[in-house]
């Protein structure tokens, strides 16, 4: 089953994907709007003609991406990395300086002491604390400010 790339207006990817998905077209099988892909939506369909017809009625859809005069087709291998979520702790290393962006210590700066990738958690030690106390938070509750590796 071919996967086609649809060009959209910037920041309207989710809207276009929802409108395509809400159409009752038996030839369209799946729609994907990955956060890491700006101005594009991936559509799995039987052929490019059905997508072209649907896109005529959808605002913010600019059309199919063309490659060599033909509708740009992608394989599942080219888009499967969009389908598996990346852990929140990816890109964080021990010793990094982070800011807590959620929870009771929001706004505090800390140093990463330990990373538990299986639980997607990070143990940090707060900077301003008079007594160093390790605090364990979810990976999505911190933002890296400074990294030792950079």
């Amino acid at each position: 089953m071919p996967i086609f790339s649809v060009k959209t207006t910037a920041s309207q990817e989710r809207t276009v994907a929802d409108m395509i998905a809400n159409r009752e077209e038996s030839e369209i099988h799946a729609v994907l709007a990955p956060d890491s892909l700006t101005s594009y939506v991936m559509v799995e369909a039987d052929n490019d003609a059905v997508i072209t017809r649907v896109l005529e009625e959808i605002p913010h859809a600019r059309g199919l991406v063309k490659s060599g005069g033909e509708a740009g087709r992608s394989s599942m291998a080219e888009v499967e990395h969009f389908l598996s979520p990346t852990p929140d702790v990816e890109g964080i290393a021990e010793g990094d300086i982070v800011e807590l962006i959620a929870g009771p210590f929001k706004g505090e700066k800390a140093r990463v002491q330990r990373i538990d990738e299986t639980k997607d958690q990070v143990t940090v030690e707060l900077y301003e604390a008079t007594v160093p106390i390790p605090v364990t938070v979810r990976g999505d509750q911190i933002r890296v400010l400074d990294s030792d590796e950079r």
Side-chain angles (χ1 to χ4, degrees):
M1 190 74 46
I3 299 170
F4 299 93
S5 301
V6 175
K7 179 83 171 129
T8 68
T9 305
S11 303
Q12 296 297 320
E13 304 87 4
R14 181 84 50 211
T15 305
V16 171
D18 289 343
M19 290 177 151
I20 294 171
N22 289 333
R23 301 283 306 228
E24 294 189 16
E25 297 285 341
S26 60
E27 297 96 345
I28 295 178
H29 304 286
V31 182
L32 175 66
D35 292 332
S36 59
L37 194 61
T38 306
S39 300
Y40 292 96
V41 172
M42 309 304 284
V43 181
E44 182 180 27
D46 290 341
N47 57 54
D48 60 339
V50 67
I51 299 173
T52 303
R53 187 181 77 237
V54 167
L55 294 183
E56 290 173 359
E57 302 171 16
I58 296 179
H60 304 295
R62 299 283 186 229
L64 278 173
V65 174
K66 302 285 184 185
S67 173
E70 200 174 297
R73 295 176 179 229
S74 299
S75 66
M76 183 58 80
E78 292 174 313
V79 296
E80 68 185 350
H81 67 279
F82 292 121
L83 302 175
S84 52
T86 58
D88 292 322
V89 296
E90 189 173 294
I92 300 172
E94 289 183 16
D96 284 357
I97 308 301
V98 297
E99 178 183 7
L100 282 81
I101 58 173
F105 299 105
K106 182 177 179 177
E108 295 285 330
K109 290 181 177 49
R111 181 178 299 276
V112 176
Q113 300 297 317
R114 188 173 53 248
I115 301 166
D116 187 345
E117 290 186 20
T118 57
K119 294 182 181 176
D120 209 20
Q121 293 180 337
V122 178
T123 302
V124 298
E125 197 172 89
L126 300 176
Y127 263 162
E128 278 88 35
T130 53
V131 177
I133 302 171
V135 178
T136 302
V137 295
R138 291 193 328 258
D140 64 346
Q141 293 182 337
I142 61 173
R143 176 173 56 104
V144 176
L145 297 176
D146 188 26
S147 176
D148 288 347
E149 295 178 2
R150 289 185 195 131

